[in-house]
Amino acid sequence: MPAENSLSINGNTFSFTPGETILEVAHRNSIDIPTLCHLKRATPTGACRMCLVEVKGARSLVASCAAPAAPNMEIQTETAKVVEARRIVLQLLLSSGNHNCAVSGSAADNWTEFQLKVQQAEAVTELCPVWGDCRLQDLAFRYQVTGERFEPTETSYPMETANPFIMRDFSRCIQCGRCVQACNEVQVNQAIHFGYRGAATKIIAAGDRPYINSDCVFCGECVQACPVGALVEKDSRYEARPWETRKVRTTCSYCGVGCQLYLHVRDNTVVKITGVDDVAPNYGSLCVKGRFGFDFIHSPDRLKAPLIKENGSFREATWDEALDLVAGKFKQIRAEHGSDSIGMLTSARITNEENYIAQKFARAVIGTNNVDHCARL
Ligand code: SF4
Ligand code: SF4
Ligand code: SF4
Ligand code: FES
């Protein structure tokens, strides 16, 4: 690597590829710079100023998520000046809207005590649903700040509950813009935007209509991107605190894409699903089925045994009985009408291997090339 493509961070020298940002070079080398608005796979906006760093010779602190790395830069990521700037950003955000985990009755010297009190108050329904899983709260803890330094500002927008999947609590929105970028740049759905101006700024869908009356397809990418409690899955809200669940990685069973996801499991019950970041093929993204369609897992209506229809109604059967019946019917149809009177339609919901077996069965056992697949439609 030529010397002109190197810089120093906290006194250590690192190489960079032209086009990389300071933040990318730092994170690639395991140097922690906190962020709030930065979203991988999207254009940096420099909106939150949490990632400020000191660059020698620069007139002011630099937003590392948006600043390109340059030769011979000398960067410091955690100086007193940087820390003070981050503390002010956090204090402003915490005093804006309803951040009750870090505001009410808390002074800087009893912050931890206050948090513990909140943690014990499980029954307090006004307690933020993402308590314990919030980037803003994490950073408030890291920099030991509350929202009491500045005059609190309230939001007048009511919570939006009018859809089956997502709760929008504008009182907790920090206007970082990650949801807008997730929707427009990652999923390319173009369903939400910044609306209004100044203190009235709000994330809006379709000229400020509820999601349900907009172009939203309920992929939930915005929910996964939201660093605070402004966008939360409706079904899992208050269902379980993050520390009560364990994450089980698996493959989505809805189609052949094979999206990687985490099941969030509490007491052997799936309470929420999120995508696995940085992993092919979906890199954290999911569709509405993969993210929200998990009721069936614990449905009492799930079939647990084969059913055979007799005289217009179903009765439970054993697998041997059911398979014998189907095999007998295949033989009978083939004998009476020939192999090509049978066709095999398979599904995108099964694996490639299962699809292979199905077509092999059609060609080699039944003796027909009448094979098709729903994903081709
Ligand atoms: S959104 Fe985060 S900072 Fe705000 S109340 Fe909820 S947990 Fe606290
Ligand atoms: S659920 Fe998907 S489509 Fe709807 S606003 Fe969020 S990211 Fe956009
Ligand atoms: S809803 Fe969440 S992701 Fe969107 S701007 Fe507000 S805080 Fe950021
Ligand atoms: S993370 Fe860089 S400005 Fe928000």
Side-chain angles (χ1 to χ4, degrees):
M1 181 68 63
E4 63 263 26
N5 283 344
S6 67
L7 48 68
S8 88
I9 304 179
N10 300 339
N12 297 308
T13 303
F14 302 102
S15 56
F16 66 90
T17 308
E20 274 190 300
T21 61
I22 296 174
L23 184 76
E24 285 166 339
V25 180
H27 282 180
R28 189 162 48 70
N29 290 289
S30 304
I31 298 165
D32 179 35
I33 298 176
T35 62
L36 271 171
C37 71
H38 174 68
L39 182 70
K40 274 188 217 164
R41 301 194 282 159
T43 318
T45 60
C48 74
R49 320 305 287 173
M50 184 50 51
C51 66
L52 291 173
V53 293
E54 214 170 331
V55 178
K56 192 174 176 187
R59 276 188 300 182
S60 55
L61 296 176
V62 170
S64 61
C65 70
N72 305 317
M73 266 182 166
E74 290 178 37
I75 299 152
Q76 292 291 332
T77 64
E78 207 77 26
T79 61
K81 195 172 164 189
V82 165
V83 168
E84 187 48 26
R86 289 181 190 154
R87 284 170 62 90
I88 290 172
V89 169
L90 289 168
Q91 285 163 330
L92 283 166
L93 290 174
L94 289 168
S95 65
S96 162
N98 177 19
H99 297 287
N100 61 357
C101 74
V103 177
S104 319
S106 56
D109 56 354
N110 67 2
W111 205 96
T112 305
E113 192 188 326
F114 171 74
Q115 297 298 306
L116 288 172
K117 255 192 280 170
V118 172
Q119 190 173 358
Q120 284 148 14
E122 291 269 346
V124 181
T125 51
E126 68 270 21
L127 181 62
C128 183
V130 300
W131 201 104
D133 188 18
C134 171
R135 186 95 185 109
L136 180 57
Q137 188 189 41
D138 288 349
L139 290 170
F141 183 80
R142 172 168 165 177
Y143 290 105
Q144 295 284 293
V145 291
T146 71
E148 289 179 327
R149 178 167 174 183
F150 299 106
E151 199 58 34
T153 52
E154 301 290 327
T155 174
S156 52
Y157 298 123
M159 197 180 303
E160 181 186 309
T161 60
N163 73 70
F165 304 114
I166 299 169
M167 299 285 271
R168 301 173 75 196
D169 183 349
F170 299 98
S171 75
R172 307 204 198 261
C173 175
I174 58 170
Q175 292 170 8
C176 65
R178 279 169 61 101
C179 55
V180 175
Q181 288 193 299
C183 184
N184 298 343
E185 291 193 35
V186 178
Q187 292 287 50
V188 203
N189 285 332
Q190 305 287 339
I192 50 175
H193 306 274
F194 277 93
Y196 307 105
R197 289 278 188 281
T201 301
K202 178 190 185 191
I203 307 299
I204 58 167
D208 203 7
R209 294 190 181 85
Y211 269 13
I212 192 89
N213 298 326
S214 74
D215 292 334
C216 174
V217 296
F218 293 109
C219 63
E221 189 81 12
C222 54
V223 180
Q224 190 161 316
C226 185
V228 292
L231 297 172
V232 177
E233 297 89 346
K234 198 170 193 174
D235 277 353
S236 56
R237 200 166 180 265
Y238 294 121
E239 246 337 279
R241 292 292 180 188
W243 56 88
E244 296 170 333
T245 61
R246 67 192 163 91
K247 287 204 284 187
V248 179
R249 184 171 159 181
T250 187
T251 302
C252 179
S253 59
Y254 272 112
C255 84
V257 172
C259 289
Q260 294 301 295
L261 47 81
Y262 283 121
L263 306 176
H264 297 242
V265 181
R266 180 194 186 183
D267 299 336
N268 283 332
T269 302
V270 176
V271 293
K272 167 173 154 170
I273 289 180
T274 52
V276 181
D277 278 337
D278 299 330
V279 173
N282 52 316
Y283 296 95
S285 299
L286 293 172
C287 74
V288 61
K289 293 182 291 180
R291 190 181 302 279
F292 295 113
F294 58 88
D295 279 6
F296 74 93
I297 298 173
H298 305 290
S299 168
D301 298 334
R302 283 186 73 164
L303 293 182
K304 297 190 178 76
L307 302 177
I308 291 177
K309 199 171 197 178
E310 284 174 349
N311 302 323
S313 53
F314 287 108
R315 69 163 175 85
E316 279 199 4
T318 64
W319 278 107
D320 281 346
E321 192 183 0
L323 290 171
D324 283 349
L325 179 72
V326 173
K329 294 269 185 194
F330 273 143
K331 280 183 193 158
Q332 184 190 346
I333 294 167
R334 189 173 59 174
E336 289 174 11
H337 305 285
S339 299
D340 281 340
S341 64
I342 299 173
M344 179 71 67
L345 296 176
T346 63
S347 168
R349 292 194 186 184
I350 58 177
T351 62
N352 284 342
E353 290 78 5
E354 287 162 334
N355 274 308
Y356 177 83
I357 292 168
Q359 66 81 32
K360 195 77 178 169
F361 175 75
R363 294 187 215 279
V365 179
I366 304 282
T368 180
N369 290 323
N370 292 338
V371 178
D372 214 335
H373 184 288
C374 70
R376 206 177 61 80
L377 299 178

